Structures are given as structure tokens and as C-alpha cells.
Amino acid sequence: MSIDLSQFHQVFFEESFEGLDVMESELLELSPDSVDDETVNTIFRAAHSIKGGAGTFGFMQISEFTHEVETLLDEIRAGQRALEQLHVDLFLQSVDCLRAMMTALNEGSEPETARADELKLQLKAILHGEAEAAEGDSNDASEATTGGSERAGWKVRFIPDADVLRTGNEPFRMFRELEGVAPNGIKVMVNESELPEFANLNPEECRLSWTITVMGDIEQSDIQTVFEWVEDDCDIDYIALDADGQALESGAEAKADAAEASAEAAVAPEPVAAPAAVAEPANSEAAQSESVKVEPAKPAAAKAEPAKAKAKPNRGGDQSSIRVSIDKVDSLINMVGELVITQSMLGQLGQDFDISRMGRLLEGLSQLEQNTRELQESVMKIRMMPISFAFSRFPRLVRDLGNQLGKKVNLVMQGENTELDKTVMEKIGDPLVHLVRNSLDHGLETTAKRIETGKDESGTITLNAFHQGGNIVIEVKDDGAGLNEERILNKAIERGLVAANANLTPEEIHQLIFLPGFSTADQVSDISGRGVGMDVVRRNINELNGTIEVKSQKGTGSTFVIRLPLTLAILDGQLVEVCNQTYIFPLVSIVESIQLQKQTLNNISGSQPVMKLRDEYIPIIRLDQVFNLRPLEEEVEEAMLVVVEGDNEKIGIVVDDLLGQQQVVIKSLEQNYQRVSGVSGATILGDGTVALIIDISGIGKKVDGRAAAIPGSEQAA
Amino acid sequence: MASILAVDDSASMRQMVSFTLKGAGFDVKEACDGVEALAEAKRGKFDLVLSDVNMPNMNGIEFCKELRQLPDYKFTPVLMLTTESAGDMKMQGKQAGATGWIVKPFNPEQLLSTIKRVLG
């Protein structure tokens, strides 16, 4: 029977990555000062499983490397070796190394083993000199080496331990197996001399012993394999026989055996079955006397290991899948059931409808509406995962970075169970990393400086997530020095981002860090200076229809607040009308809507109309022009101006009318048609018509430098 | 056909064991730790139990001890899935009442030939 083991690889990789995550997070909990046994155990178990699986599924590089890790862990676990910080660091590096190797294997390429070899050497260096007694005990060196050619069989004297049956070892099965390996069959002779009087017979004990003659030339090790599981407790002698049934290595004992053997009849193994059969009925009785010890699982042991129970983000390359908890699926099935009931109810009603049943129809329809809403919510929930997946990398990151920068940092994570759409989660990971790096590098002061200013010497970075009205809010907060307004302003002036004489409020200065090409570090450091600025962070977040803002207080720290929609599949939209067409603006980007007043329009920069809105000038875009819906000259009466903010820039968009607000399901234009600049997607409205969803920052770019003059604006200028 | 309880905290091992055994015509139930396995054992009657040693909540050794206390499993073969590095595990397993062991890593063929030793 051959089984293709590769079908289990995907599962193996998934659980191994999960195991590595567990190892990593538990390792971070571990400190040499306080070694928690359960933590070490959990780490050991994860390593052990990875090793076992890798060996089974043929990933020898992984298995060999993990073996070293496991051995060291085992020594620590068994208390043979005290945990040192060095070990923790080495383990963490090993986790990284294993992860890289397994990622390569998962993608079907050959893993890089140089790093593993190096780590293996380091692990071995630690282990060096320790006796690894656990290994190499599989085969006794005492194996008799008898002359091969003249050997014609074996005589095995088997005196089992009285308790042999209680371990589930049944002599009968061993004889059967022996029969299978013996070239010319076996003869079994039972010795019942030790059997007690019937009255004293304990059917659960094995008082019989046997002499088995194995006929044919086989190796002693083949016979030993059969008795492998009992050889430690039972008395077993092996005597090689020649063709005449005489012991090859004669001795007093062997001769006595030979005499016995000659008297022996060829007995089939049946007699052995008897004690077992007797044992069966006795079971219940015997069990009763012992039932005091039958106890259910220890309550303490019943606590589920949280790390195991939770689903994990799939890292397995392209084929993206999510694990959904059974609860969510069950609730879906429930709701579909409800929907079917409603449907059949409405169906019945429709068959012979009469206006007098209007009430029931409305009732049914409202039920249908409720079912649909609940179903929609449940389906959305499938994509929802706790933000702990995005947060989980930070303990490690903060630890490593803190070490690198020589800063003491506490990481506090709150609201880890806040759920978020999987796609949003994947896309928010990098911006979050950037923010945390930034807070650590620029936000927190050096330890010396903190002590100087009377702060706790270790800084605190807080990650917090919570839901707030249809949005998820993620905060990255540090208790560092706060943004240095003076330096930011100087830098911005230096780079020509603001005018030298600009008079900005502190809040406005804070916003400057989001401008393209801004870095406040005096020298570009290893940590943050990666060519990615806050502008990229902001852009990434804007792409998710989210916003980011910063609050900072000098001396007490800064907080970055990210607001994201819970999902990318549904959008809170403002419906607007232009030339009898409906368009949708993301509600989150709308600042205000006002009646358009032509006299406030100006045309300063040539053709681009702008409008003075309170103290600032904002560019004006006519949506009807962008989509070529109306000749330019045509006058617009009673137009509305929707002021929106995209890319930290306000623009005014002229539309004919504002319609309602509603949640819309986003359909991709790219998948169904092609990418259209200025449009982020489409949706289908209640009446079946398609409405385009406006991409606010995209539309701003689309009209950049393009004339979109508003008729009549010249005279106002 | 004989029914087998396969206990392992690793999903891939469980799947492999289960797939192999089912392919050979056995009835297989899976459990992911000792606690679950014990509950499963009480619910049904198995002719053979295969258990990993290192598991959360209740490890294979404890599980084996508990299982042997159950009247239905006094004589049922229990095979531990161990690694070669765990030498004294074999002793511990025996003391807990395990019948024998299968050394990891093993392939499906080895698994089948080993369990045939204790079934029937």
C-alpha cells in the first residue's frame, strides 16, 4: 500500500507555522529569572511536533535542525540545564530560520541551509559534552552472534511478567507474529506449572510461560522485534538450534531445554487465548473494585490552549484560505434555514394572493428583510478575524528593536479580540509596523534621557484596537517626548514644504509629518530610515478608505489614531446625482456639503477654478465634466458642492443633487470591466441600476492640470 | 472492522494516521489531546488506541494511565507514538500501561505493519 504523503504537506506547513508562532510568542514570555514550566513545555511541544511531522513527511533538514532545538529545550524542561538569555535568543533565531526554511519548502523551492547549519553548530556547542543517553538504546549489544550457516532455528523461552496482559500485550498475538516471520513455522509449548489452584486463579494475571521453537534460519533480531515491547519486563532466552534441534552453543541449560523440546508436541498457539477469554467476563467485576480511580479528565487540564485554538493567517503563498470557527458556520446555516422558511411562506402567499392578505405580505417582507440583514452580517463575519493576528508580530519586533536601540520598552496590547476584515488586516500590517518602529525609534527617548527627565526608565508603547461606530480604530501610542514641533517646522521649511513665514498651529505642524519626503531623524537610522515615510503610511491607509491622525503632547508622548472601515466589501456611501446618473461618495471622505454659490468661485491659477471656503481656497471639480455628461457651456442651476478630503487635500465636487446615504456592496470594476481612473468600484442599487463609486484621491489627480472651468466663474474673479 | 482511536495534537500526523488506517479499512476516530481522547474512549469502544506522547492538556502518558482505569480498556492495546530521542518515554509509557510504541518518524507501511501485530 503506498500513500502519497504530499497530500498532508499543506496541513503540516500550516500547523508548523502556527507552532512557530506559538514558540515565538511563548519565548518572548520567557526570561531566565522566572522560568515558567508550562511555557517551556508549550515551546517544547511545538518544536517536538514540528520535528515529528517533518521527519514523517520527509523534510529531513527541518527535522534534523529541530532535533537540536528540541534537545536543548528538553534539557531545560527536565531541569538539567538552567535557562540563559543566550538560549532564548538562539531559540528565537532558530524560529526565524525554521520559518524561512519552511516558507521555501512550502513554495516548492529548496531551503537555504547555511543559517540552519550555523545555528545548529551553536546549539551543539551548548549541548556539547552532555551525554545523550536517551539515544542509541534501541538495540542491545548483547545480541548473540552465532554461526550463520548451520543455524536451523531458535528456541525461545518466554516467561512473561504476570502483569503482561494489563499492558494490552497478548502472548497469542506475539506467537502469531512470530509465525509470520519464521520461515518454517513455529512450535509453541505451554508450561503451566506456575498456574495456581483454580480457586486462587486471577484471570487478569498471566501465570503461563512458553517455549517456542522457531523453525528456519532467521536473525535473532527478527525474533527480538516481536518481543520488543515486553522484553524489559519478561524473561526471554534465545537459543540458536542446529538442524537436529540441538543448541548450537551448548550449556547445561541448553541441554535441559533440548530434552524438553523433544518431548514437545506441535501445538498451535490456541491455548494462550484461554486466559484472555477468561479475563473478559471478569473485567466488569474487577473494574468495580477499581472504579474509585476512574475519574474524569482533570479540570485543570481542561483549559484549552488559546494559541492552539485560534485560527491563523494563511501564509501559504497564493492559495489564500481562512479558517472559520464552526460557530460562525453554524449560525450561517441557521440563518439560511430561516430564509428558506420565509421564502416558502412568501411563496405560499403568492400562490393565491388577495389584497386582504396585504398585512401578511408586509409582515413576510419585513421578515425577509431581517433575514437578509442577519445573513449579510453573518457572511461578513466570516471574513472577520481578531486583530491579534496583526498584533502578534509586535512583541518580537519591539523586543528586537529595543535591544538594537538600547531602549527598554514595554509593549501593551489592548483590544486584541477586536475583529477586522481579513483583507484590511493584511493591508494594515505594514503601516502598523512602520508606526511602531517609528514610535520606538523617534518617539521614545533613550533610557538615559528618560531618567534625566524623571520618567520611568522603560518606555511604553501601547497598541489599542476598538470598534467605534462602523469603524475600527487602532491606536499606536508612546509615552515618549512627543513630536518636536520646532524641528518638524524647520525641516518642512528647509524642504520647501511650507513657506518660511508660515504661522502654523501645533496641530498643523503635526500634520506635516505626513507630507511626502519627510523624515525627522537627524540621521537616517537603521530602524526607520527605510525610504518609507509617513506619507506612505497615510496613503496605504487612505487606500483602505481609512484615515490617520496624530495627537502629540510635548513631553508625554504621541498617539497615532488609525480609523478603518470594518470591511472593504461594504461601504457607507453618500448617493449623489449628476445628469440623472447616480454616483456614490464614500461617506468617510465627505467633509461637508454646501449650496454652490457662484460668486465665491475664483479662477486664480489660470483654468483651475477654486473657491474660497472660509479661510482656505479649495479646487473645484465638476463631476459632469469629469465624466463628459454635459456640454461645458451648459449652466448648472441649483448645484450642490460636496467638499471631500482625499490625500490630505480638500476638493469641492460639483453635483446636481444629494440623494440618500446607504450602505453599498462594492463590486470590483477591474474584475467585471476594467480599471477606470477616478472610480474605485461600482455597486448595484435597489432598482437594479449600476452606480459608480468615486475614488476621491483618484479623481483629484485625474483633473489635475486639466481645465474644468465653471461657467460664470470668470466674472466673479 | 476494528475501530481505532488516533490521538495526536498535530493535525497533519492525525490526518496521515487516519488516512492510512481508513485506507486499510479500519474505523478511525481522531482526538487532539488526552482529555478529548478519554471522552471519546468513554463514548465508544475501540479495539486499538494510538497516542502521541507530547500533547497539551493531557499528555499521552497520563492519558494511558487514565484509560487503563476504564473497565473497557483494561486489555486494549495502546501504542504510543514516540520519537527515538525519548528513550525513557518508552519506560514511562510501559509503566502507564502502554502496550508498545511506534517510533517516529514512521511511514504508512510501518504504521500498518505495527498495528497488525496487536489487532485481531
Side-chain angles (χ1 to χ4, degrees):
Chain A
M1 165 171 194
S2 95
I3 286 170
D4 179 16
L5 287 178
S6 64
Q7 61 187 312
F8 307 113
H9 287 181
Q10 193 55 41
V11 184
F12 165 70
F13 285 126
E14 279 184 20
E15 76 183 359
S16 296
F17 284 131
E18 207 170 285
L20 288 173
D21 290 346
V22 170
M23 281 176 79
E24 180 166 10
S25 65
E26 296 289 318
L27 279 166
L28 293 170
E29 302 268 298
L30 209 57
S31 97
D33 314 322
S34 62
V35 180
D36 175 43
D37 284 351
E38 192 41 44
T39 308
V40 180
N41 253 327
T42 306
I43 301 169
F44 174 81
R45 258 198 318 269
H48 184 80
S49 289
I50 292 171
K51 180 185 124 175
T56 304
F57 300 118
F59 303 115
M60 295 329 285
Q61 317 96 313
I62 303 280
S63 149
E64 281 162 21
F65 178 52
T66 319
H67 175 74
E68 305 296 336
V69 176
E70 187 203 9
T71 312
L72 184 55
L73 277 168
D74 198 22
E75 287 187 7
I76 292 165
R77 181 173 81 138
Q80 293 162 2
R81 188 186 290 277
L83 180 77
E84 292 168 32
Q85 190 57 41
L86 169 76
H87 300 158
V88 178
D89 291 342
L90 207 51
F91 287 144
L92 280 171
Q93 287 171 27
S94 304
V95 167
D96 289 345
C97 177
L98 279 170
R99 195 176 277 143
M101 283 164 82
M102 261 186 285
T103 306
L105 284 167
N106 194 13
E107 285 161 0
S109 54
E110 199 51 36
E112 185 64 55
T113 53
R115 182 92 186 100
D117 291 341
E118 189 190 314
L119 286 169
K120 214 150 77 179
L121 281 179
Q122 291 186 40
L123 287 164
K124 275 189 171 144
I126 294 173
L127 290 165
H128 181 74
E130 299 285 321
E132 280 169 75
E135 294 200 44
D137 66 341
S138 55
N139 265 324
D140 290 347
S142 63
E143 191 170 314
T145 48
T146 44
S149 60
E150 63 234 276
R151 193 174 58 203
W154 291 90
K155 188 195 323 239
V156 183
R157 234 181 26 193
F158 177 44
I159 308 169
D161 184 67
D163 281 337
V164 72
L165 297 172
R166 291 202 178 113
T167 64
N169 276 297
E170 173 60 74
F172 159 58
R173 297 200 194 104
M174 295 178 208
F175 302 153
R176 186 186 58 188
E177 200 189 343
L178 208 51
E179 201 169 19
V181 297
N184 301 322
I186 59 168
K187 285 181 187 166
V188 181
M189 207 181 79
V190 66
N191 175 5
E192 54 200 26
S193 58
E194 295 294 315
L195 213 58
E197 290 295 309
F198 187 75
N200 299 331
L201 194 72
N202 179 350
E204 294 186 6
E205 287 186 349
C206 177
R207 293 289 178 195
L208 298 173
S209 64
W210 291 270
T211 307
I212 309 119
T213 313
V214 181
M215 289 173 290
D217 181 15
I218 63 168
E219 293 299 323
Q220 183 177 343
S221 57
D222 290 339
I223 306 177
Q224 269 176 331
T225 312
V226 174
F227 295 104
E228 182 187 11
W229 294 335
V230 295
E231 63 186 3
D232 294 336
D233 318 315
C234 303
D235 218 346
I236 310 170
D237 293 333
Y238 304 91
I239 300 152
L241 302 177
D242 64 16
D244 302 326
Q246 298 299 313
L248 281 171
E249 282 163 38
S250 58
E253 185 195 18
K255 277 198 186 106
D257 283 338
E260 201 180 299
S262 60
E264 154 194 316
V267 198
E270 276 86 336
V272 198
V278 179
E280 287 295 335
N283 278 357
S284 52
E285 192 192 322
Q288 269 169 3
S289 61
E290 285 181 9
S291 64
V292 197
K293 293 181 88 178
V294 180
E295 55 191 76
K298 285 184 228 148
K303 58 166 185 173
E305 194 182 346
K308 264 272 149 184
K310 64 190 184 191
K312 65 158 210 64
N314 186 309
R315 303 183 202 197
D318 295 321
Q319 35 174 188
S320 159
S321 65
I322 43 176
R323 290 202 204 168
V324 181
S325 81
I326 288 290
D327 291 353
K328 287 181 179 174
V329 176
D330 283 350
S331 99
L332 261 184
I333 290 169
N334 261 339
M335 267 157 217
V336 172
E338 297 272 318
L339 196 63
V340 169
I341 294 170
T342 309
Q343 187 265 332
S344 74
M345 190 260 263
L346 284 174
Q348 230 172 25
L349 203 61
Q351 265 177 4
D352 49 351
F353 186 68
D354 176 303
I355 197 70
S356 64
R357 299 197 183 184
M358 197 60 185
R360 284 203 58 198
L361 177 66
L362 289 176
E363 195 182 305
L365 286 173
S366 85
Q367 200 174 321
L368 180 66
E369 188 197 335
Q370 190 185 343
N371 290 156
T372 313
R373 196 176 52 239
E374 283 174 1
L375 192 61
Q376 182 193 350
E377 279 167 14
S378 300
V379 172
M380 299 314 292
K381 271 192 194 145
I382 290 185
R383 293 186 58 87
M384 297 298 228
M385 293 168 42
I387 195 147
S388 51
F389 290 112
F391 279 3
S392 62
R393 63 171 110 172
F394 289 110
R396 176 75 189 278
L397 187 110
V398 167
R399 175 187 185 273
D400 288 356
L401 265 184
N403 284 348
Q404 206 175 326
L405 293 166
K407 292 180 183 175
K408 288 191 181 166
V409 195
N410 289 327
L411 178 68
V412 180
M413 296 193 284
Q414 291 162 342
E416 291 152 282
N417 290 325
T418 312
E419 291 201 323
L420 177 64
D421 185 277
K422 180 173 181 278
T423 318
V424 180
M425 176 114 56
E426 278 164 5
K427 294 196 171 151
I428 199 62
D430 287 343
L432 273 183
V433 168
H434 191 84
L435 288 176
V436 170
R437 279 173 184 280
N438 215 62
S439 295
L440 241 162
D441 196 12
H442 305 318
L444 294 183
E445 313 90 327
T446 58
T447 309
K449 204 162 184 182
R450 287 185 72 92
I451 294 170
E452 199 177 295
T453 50
K455 284 184 174 179
D456 187 349
E457 64 169 340
S458 47
T460 302
I461 289 184
T462 311
L463 287 171
N464 189 13
F466 53 92
H467 283 158
Q468 196 180 61
N471 285 322
I472 182 169
V473 180
I474 307 171
E475 290 180 347
V476 180
K477 188 168 145 191
D478 67 66
D479 68 343
L483 296 175
N484 187 332
E485 284 145 21
E486 196 187 313
R487 206 164 74 193
I488 292 171
L489 190 57
N490 286 341
K491 208 122 227 168
I493 292 169
E494 193 180 298
R495 306 209 167 171
L497 297 171
V498 287
N501 56 357
N503 189 11
L504 299 174
T505 64
E507 283 71 34
E508 284 169 324
I509 296 174
H510 298 160
Q511 298 308 316
L512 294 176
I513 61 169
F514 292 114
L515 291 176
F518 197 94
S519 176
T520 55
D522 285 335
Q523 60 221 44
V524 173
S525 69
D526 183 27
I527 313 293
S528 315
R530 284 166 194 253
V532 185
M534 282 298 186
D535 58 320
V536 178
V537 171
R538 163 174 287 212
R539 198 167 61 228
N540 288 342
I541 291 169
N542 284 347
E543 272 169 17
L544 294 169
N545 284 325
T547 60
I548 178 167
E549 54 191 85
V550 58
K551 291 182 265 182
S552 175
Q553 186 117 37
K554 203 161 186 140
T556 52
S558 342
T559 307
F560 288 86
V561 183
I562 301 171
R563 244 170 256 278
L564 292 168
L566 281 179
T567 170
L568 292 182
I570 288 194
L571 176 94
D572 276 318
Q574 166 72 53
L575 275 57
V576 302
E577 191 186 286
V578 182
C579 295
N580 297 319
Q581 303 263 346
T582 308
Y583 292 90
I584 293 159
F585 289 176
L587 206 52
V588 62
S589 58
I590 296 180
V591 182
E592 60 184 320
S593 301
I594 50 175
Q595 197 82 42
L596 180 68
Q597 286 166 334
K598 297 217 171 94
Q599 57 272 27
T600 54
L601 290 176
N602 287 300
N603 222 349
I604 24 173
S605 59
S607 53
Q608 173 69 56
V610 294
M611 185 184 115
K612 187 169 186 194
L613 180 64
R614 287 172 215 115
D615 291 337
E616 53 187 330
Y617 284 92
I618 57 170
I620 300 297
I621 292 167
R622 270 179 64 175
L623 210 56
D624 55 353
Q625 295 305 308
V626 175
F627 292 114
N628 294 323
L629 295 170
R630 184 163 25 213
L632 186 63
E633 301 75 33
E634 207 173 299
E635 277 289 333
V636 190
E637 299 297 328
E638 303 261 311
M640 291 291 295
L641 185 76
V642 183
V643 181
V644 294
E645 191 168 339
D647 276 349
N648 203 26
E649 218 182 328
K650 278 185 189 155
I651 44 175
I653 300 180
V654 182
V655 301
D656 291 1
D657 204 359
L658 293 179
L659 306 172
Q661 296 178 355
Q662 77 176 67
Q663 283 201 331
V664 296
V665 179
I666 303 173
K667 307 271 181 195
S668 159
L669 262 194
E670 282 152 74
Q671 273 169 30
N672 298 311
Y673 173 56
Q674 66 179 58
R675 197 178 158 75
V676 178
S677 67
V679 176
S680 62
T683 193
I684 296 168
L685 298 173
D687 61 0
T689 56
V690 174
L692 298 178
I693 301 165
I694 304 297
D695 168 15
I696 298 298
S697 52
I699 208 151
K701 290 191 192 88
K702 193 179 164 81
V703 290
D704 258 356
R706 189 179 122 182
I710 305 279
S713 59
E714 286 85 358
Q715 64 228 42
Chain B
M1 200 61 199
S3 61
I4 300 176
L5 177 61
V7 194
D8 202 312
D9 59 331
S10 150
S12 57
M13 289 301 289
R14 227 165 39 229
Q15 277 190 14
M16 193 273 256
V17 168
S18 170
F19 186 87
T20 306
L21 298 178
K22 280 178 181 159
F26 294 104
D27 262 350
V28 187
K29 265 265 185 307
E30 299 177 19
C32 69
D33 61 38
V35 176
E36 207 181 296
L38 210 55
E40 201 62 63
K42 285 175 188 166
R43 212 172 299 143
K45 174 85 181 90
F46 295 93
D47 302 306
L48 169 65
V49 179
L50 296 172
S51 173
D52 186 27
V53 177
N54 281 294
M55 293 183 293
N57 302 334
M58 182 192 280
N59 70 29
I61 303 292
E62 289 169 43
F63 163 61
C64 190
K65 278 186 198 156
E66 297 279 340
L67 187 73
R68 283 284 179 238
Q69 305 297 324
L70 301 179
D72 275 352
Y73 293 93
K74 250 183 154 172
F75 305 101
T76 306
V78 178
L79 298 182
M80 309 302 296
L81 312 176
T82 72
T83 54
E84 76 278 44
S85 67
D88 66 337
M89 267 303 165
K90 292 178 184 172
M91 272 330 288
Q92 283 189 39
K94 292 221 58 155
Q95 278 157 15
T99 307
W101 52 83
I102 303 176
V103 176
K104 284 190 200 175
F106 54 86
N107 60 35
E109 291 77 13
Q110 288 164 326
L111 175 68
L112 284 176
S113 73
T114 311
I115 66 158
K116 281 188 178 136
R117 288 167 66 177
V118 292
L119 276 179

